């Protein structure tokens, strides 16, 4: 179980959730932020601060955003960053890359 960032974050990316997260498990990509599913402690603090309602608990994620569970998870795998489990964000774990589904999103 983990919280998941979904498409309203794309190109908004204000970073408010990263300030709220007590374990620094929210990482910056090119067009959105991503939550590490193995490092998230399910506290829900990020959910309450997101101005665009982009964050969902994975067990309650709306059906039309369910693909973002894999988007957040795969961001850390070989398909995108290959970071594995960094154990918390620091400046070495920031990138301008995105999951392919996010990179392909039409710009508003
Ligand atoms: S639910 Fe808590 S631990 Fe998980 S990403 Fe949000 S603030 Fe961080
Ligand atoms: S608070 Fe919401 S919009 Fe801002 S970076 Fe986090 S998920 Fe994206």
């Amino acid at each position: 179980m983990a919280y998941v960032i979904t498409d309203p974050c794309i190109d908004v990316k204000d970073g408010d959730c990263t300030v709220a997260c007590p374990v620094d498990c929210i990482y910056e990509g090119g067009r959105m932020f991503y939550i590490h599913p193995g490092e998230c402690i399910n506290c829900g603090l990020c959910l309450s601060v997101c101005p665009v309602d982009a964050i969902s608990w994975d067990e309650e994620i709306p059906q039309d955003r369910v693909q973002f569970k894999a988007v957040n998870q795969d961001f850390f795998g070989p398909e995108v960053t290959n970071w594995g489990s960094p154990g918390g964000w620091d400046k070495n774990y920031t990138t301008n890359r995105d999951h392919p589904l996010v990179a392909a999103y039409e710009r508003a």
Side-chain angles (χ1 to χ4, degrees), residues 18-54:
T18 65
V19 178
C21 181
V23 294
D24 290 334
C25 69
I26 306 175
Y27 295 78
E28 185 171 6
R31 294 182 67 189
M32 65 172 256
F33 280 82
Y34 300 82
I35 293 175
H36 194 296
E39 296 177 358
C40 173
I41 59 170
N42 298 300
C43 68
L45 290 173
C46 54
L47 181 98
S48 57
V49 301
C50 180
V52 293
D53 211 12

Side-chain angles (χ1 to χ4, degrees), residues 44-68:
L45 290 173
C46 54
L47 181 98
S48 57
V49 301
C50 180
V52 293
D53 211 12
I55 304 176
S56 292
W57 184 38
D58 64 358
E59 299 217 343
E60 292 177 350
I61 195 165
Q63 201 51 42
D64 61 347
R65 294 182 178 166
V66 79
Q67 68 273 32
F68 279 87

